[in-house]
Each structure stands twice: as C-alpha cells, then as structure tokens.
C-alpha cells in the first residue's frame, strides 16, 4: 500500500478531508493576505473614482447623432463607438480631478463623504496618478483611433477645469457649463457619423440636460440647503421650479421641431411626430413628477434608467423613430 493510499484510508470514511489546505477562519490573516485584500479594495476604489455609473450619460448622448445619419454603415458605427470611448475616458478624468478638488466639501456632504478621496481610502497622490493614467489613455486612444476632431474634447476638458476652479460657484453659469458638456458629446457624435448637425436636436439635448441638472440642484437645496454647494445661494426652490418648467417646455418643443424638420424619417414624418407628442410629454411629465412631487432627481441617471414609465415611454419613442429611420435609410456595409 502506497503512502497516498495509507493517508486516504486513515481518514474517516476513507476520503480526503475537504477542509485540508484551508486557512482556519479563527486565525488572523497573514501579511500576504492583508496585502492582497488592500490591493483589491484599492483597485475597487480607483474604479469608483472613474464613476462607471455615470458612463451611461456618454453612452446615451454621443450616439444621438446617428438619428441624422443618412445611412448607417459599419464604419460609422465603429467611429461612433470610438467617440463614446474617448468621452468616457475624458469624463472619468474630469470626475477624478473633481474628487481631488472637492474633497474638503465632499467630507461635509452626507453621501459624497464616502467617496474614496474624501474618505481617505485613496490618497491625493494616488488619485492624481490615476488621473495621469486616464489622461495618457485618452491621448493614446485619440492618437491611434479613427480621425476625429479634437476640439470638442479639448473644449470639454478646459471648461471642466474652469468649472472645478471657479465656474461651479457662479449660479446659472454652473448648470450651463455642465449642460454644454453633453452638447459637446453630441457634436463629437456628429463628427464621427459625418452627419449635418441639427440645431434643434442640440437644443433639445441642452435644455433636457438643464432639466436634469436643475432637478438635482433642487434636491440638494431641499435636503442640505446652501451649505455644501456655494452656487446654491443663487437659487431658491421657487426659481428652480420655474427654470425646470421653462426648460422642460423648450425640450419638448425643440425635439418635436427636430422630428418635424431635420430628422431623416421621410414619408413617415407626420405619423412619427403624432406618436412622439404623447410619449415625449409623458416622459418629461413623469420626470417632473419624480422631482416636484416625490422629491427625487438627486441622481438623474438612476431616475431615468429605473423609472418604468420613463423607460417604457423612451423605448416606444425610440422604436417609432427607429422604424422610420430604417424604412427611409436601411443600414449598409
């Protein structure tokens, strides 16, 4: 009988101990295990710095230019995807810089104080190094990718540097800068597809973003007052409500004008506009209800993506417009 057989037969029931080789949970972790755990947590905190939950904003904004593309091609879709990647890296870089800049303010906020830099889990030096890595990846992606204009990205980065330093403290200017960032995303999408820029669609995107940003500001004002964000001293709940209503009206009007004039939906235009009227009004009204009645809007992405009525209305609207686009100009290779 071999040594292996003797060992197996000496165990109860003749089988190897399933717990063999496992660390006793009652024993303290070794230095290597503690180091591995710290590395895993640090990697997770670096990912949090890049705000992956916010990437949906870029994924939704950049491809809007496909609505004006005369014919969808694989090359155009690939360039659009690359534009999404570029702005995802750029926005993540901005989030990291903002977390470094705002760390003292964030520590006084009931939820933002849990951010990695504000909480001290990631040092300022490490966060700055991570920002450098993102900047390098952005430069590399721009250099090796398809030929796209760099000015939308450059303007976005410059605006956000200015925003972090002083523009975020100027009421009304602060929300305009953030909304402009989304307009620049759509502009890069147009550059990727080669389509002619629609002023009506850009207007709808800009005013819709103002609605979302104002809803967030309103929620902050109602919950924390003006202590956390200095620019909130220039707002009141009444002013926020009025501005939300004005921009919601402009969003609906601009989007319907886009469908009526610029959208390449051909002979199906009137039917699609008629279908879009109730669906657009339902979606925007539901968001206003979430902000003004249910006191939501603090996380616009969460509200938009998790509210079934908004998602359902948007899906039906996308299906109607998509059907019109496909009927007019089917995809080509």
């Amino acid at each position: 009988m071999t040594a292996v057989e003797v060992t197996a037969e000496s165990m109860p029931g003749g089988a190897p101990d399933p717990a063999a080789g496992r660390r006793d949970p009652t024993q303290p972790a070794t230095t290597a295990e503690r180091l591995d755990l710290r590395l895993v947590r640090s990697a997770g905190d670096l990912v949090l710095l890049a705000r992956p939950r916010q990437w949906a904003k870029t994924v939704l904004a950049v491809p809007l230019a496909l609505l004006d593309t005369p014919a969808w091609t694989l090359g155009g879709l690939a360039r659009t995807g690359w534009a999404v990647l570029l702005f995802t890296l750029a926005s993540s870089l901005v989030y990291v810089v903002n977390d470094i800049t705002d760390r003292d303010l964030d520590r006084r906020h009931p939820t933002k104080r849990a951010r990695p830099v504000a909480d001290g889990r990631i040092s300022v030096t490490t966060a700055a190094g991570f920002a450098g890595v993102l900047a390098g990846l952005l430069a590399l992606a721009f250099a090796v990718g398809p030929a796209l204009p760099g000015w939308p990205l450059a303007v976005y980065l410059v605006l956000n540097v200015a925003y972090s330093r002083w523009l975020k403290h100027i009421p009304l200017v602060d929300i305009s800068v953030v909304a402009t960032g989304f307009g620049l995303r759509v502009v890069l999408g147009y550059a990727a597809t080669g389509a002619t820029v629609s002023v009506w669609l850009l207007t709808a995107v800009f005013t819709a973003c103002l609605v979302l940003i104002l809803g967030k500001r309103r929620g902050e004002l109602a919950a924390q007052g003006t202590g956390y964000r200095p620019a909130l001293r220039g707002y009141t709940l009444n002013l926020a409500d009025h501005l939300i209503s004005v921009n919601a009206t402009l969003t609906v009007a601009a989007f319907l004008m886009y469908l009526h004039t610029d959208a390449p939906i051909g002979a199906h235009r009137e039917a699609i506009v008629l279908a879009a009227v109730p669906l657009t009004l339902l979606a925007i009204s539901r968001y206003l209800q979430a902000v003004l009645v249910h006191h939501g809007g603090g996380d616009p992405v969460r509200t938009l993506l998790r509210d079934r009525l908004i998602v359902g209305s948007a899906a039906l609207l996308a299906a109607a417009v998509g059907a019109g686009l496909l009927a007019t100009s089917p995809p080509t290779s």
Side-chain angles (χ1 to χ4, degrees), residues 272 275-276 278-280 282 308-323:
I272 292 175
L279 292 172
T280 306
L282 179 59
R308 295 180 180 178
L309 197 55
I310 294 176
V311 172
S313 300
L316 290 174
L317 180 59
V321 175

Side-chain angles (χ1 to χ4, degrees), residues 194-284:
T196 302
V197 176
S198 168
V199 173
W200 285 118
L201 184 59
L202 278 180
T203 301
V205 169
F206 183 78
T207 54
C209 290
L210 285 177
V211 171
L212 300 178
I213 300 162
L214 284 163
K216 183 176 182 179
R217 295 289 190 270
R218 187 189 189 280
E220 292 173 341
L221 191 61
Q224 287 98 34
T226 61
Y228 168 72
R229 194 185 294 273
L232 289 177
R233 298 189 183 100
Y235 297 91
T236 64
L237 291 177
N238 192 39
L239 175 62
D241 292 346
H242 282 298
L243 292 176
I244 290 171
S245 298
V246 168
N247 283 284
T249 302
L250 289 174
T251 298
V252 173
F255 182 67
L256 293 179
M257 284 299 296
Y258 162 74
L259 292 179
H260 183 65
T261 58
D262 293 344
I265 47 182
H268 307 279
R269 188 178 306 278
E270 291 185 358
I272 292 175
V273 170
L274 286 174
V277 170
L279 292 172
T280 306
L281 286 172
L282 179 59
I284 198 74

Side-chain angles (χ1 to χ4, degrees), residues 281-323:
L281 286 172
L282 179 59
I284 198 74
S285 299
R286 177 64 172 180
Y287 184 77
L288 294 180
Q289 182 187 52
V291 172
L292 303 177
V293 178
H294 302 306
H295 308 293
D299 187 343
V301 174
R302 181 185 180 92
T303 302
L304 291 177
L305 297 182
R306 295 197 177 187
D307 188 281
R308 295 180 180 178
L309 197 55
I310 294 176
V311 172
S313 300
L316 290 174
L317 180 59
V321 175

Side-chain angles (χ1 to χ4, degrees), residues 11-293:
M11 297 292 296
D17 182 5
R22 296 182 183 177
R23 184 178 65 83
D24 186 348
T26 62
Q27 297 299 317
T30 64
T31 302
E33 289 170 335
R34 289 196 297 270
L35 179 60
D36 289 343
L37 183 60
R38 284 198 299 269
L39 289 175
V40 170
R41 288 177 175 172
S42 296
D45 285 330
L46 288 176
V47 172
L48 288 178
L49 273 181
R51 309 272 185 87
R53 288 182 57 189
Q54 304 300 324
W55 294 347
K57 298 176 181 178
T58 298
V59 173
L60 292 173
V62 173
L64 284 175
L66 290 171
L67 294 174
D68 280 332
T69 306
W72 292 1
T73 65
L74 293 179
L77 293 174
R79 287 192 297 274
T80 301
W82 202 261
V84 170
L85 173 64
L86 290 175
F87 250 109
T88 299
L89 289 171
S91 61
S92 294
L93 172 60
V94 166
Y95 288 135
V96 175
V97 173
N98 284 344
D99 276 8
I100 295 173
T101 304
D102 294 343
R103 61 188 184 278
D104 292 330
L105 281 175
D106 288 345
R107 291 187 183 111
R108 301 199 296 267
H109 193 275
T111 57
K112 294 181 180 180
R113 63 187 179 189
R115 288 177 175 175
V117 177
D119 190 48
R121 302 194 308 274
I122 294 293
S123 68
V124 172
T125 301
T126 301
F130 185 51
V133 171
L134 289 174
L137 289 174
L138 175 60
L140 178 63
F142 182 77
V144 304
L148 292 172
W151 70 264
L153 288 166
V155 172
Y156 174 80
L157 292 173
V158 170
L159 269 179
N160 276 279
V161 169
Y163 178 85
S164 294
R165 293 184 65 86
W166 73 85
L167 293 182
K168 66 183 178 182
H169 301 309
I170 306 175
L172 301 182
V173 173
D174 62 327
I175 60 175
S176 298
V177 170
V178 177
T180 299
F182 290 94
L184 291 169
R185 286 171 167 88
V186 180
V187 168
L188 189 62
Y190 273 109
T193 61
T196 302
V197 176
S198 168
V199 173
W200 285 118
L201 184 59
L202 278 180
T203 301
V205 169
F206 183 78
T207 54
C209 290
L210 285 177
V211 171
L212 300 178
I213 300 162
L214 284 163
K216 183 176 182 179
R217 295 289 190 270
R218 187 189 189 280
E220 292 173 341
L221 191 61
Q224 287 98 34
T226 61
Y228 168 72
R229 194 185 294 273
L232 289 177
R233 298 189 183 100
Y235 297 91
T236 64
L237 291 177
N238 192 39
L239 175 62
D241 292 346
H242 282 298
L243 292 176
I244 290 171
S245 298
V246 168
N247 283 284
T249 302
L250 289 174
T251 298
V252 173
F255 182 67
L256 293 179
M257 284 299 296
Y258 162 74
L259 292 179
H260 183 65
T261 58
D262 293 344
I265 47 182
H268 307 279
R269 188 178 306 278
E270 291 185 358
I272 292 175
V273 170
L274 286 174
V277 170
L279 292 172
T280 306
L281 286 172
L282 179 59
I284 198 74
S285 299
R286 177 64 172 180
Y287 184 77
L288 294 180
Q289 182 187 52
V291 172
L292 303 177
V293 178

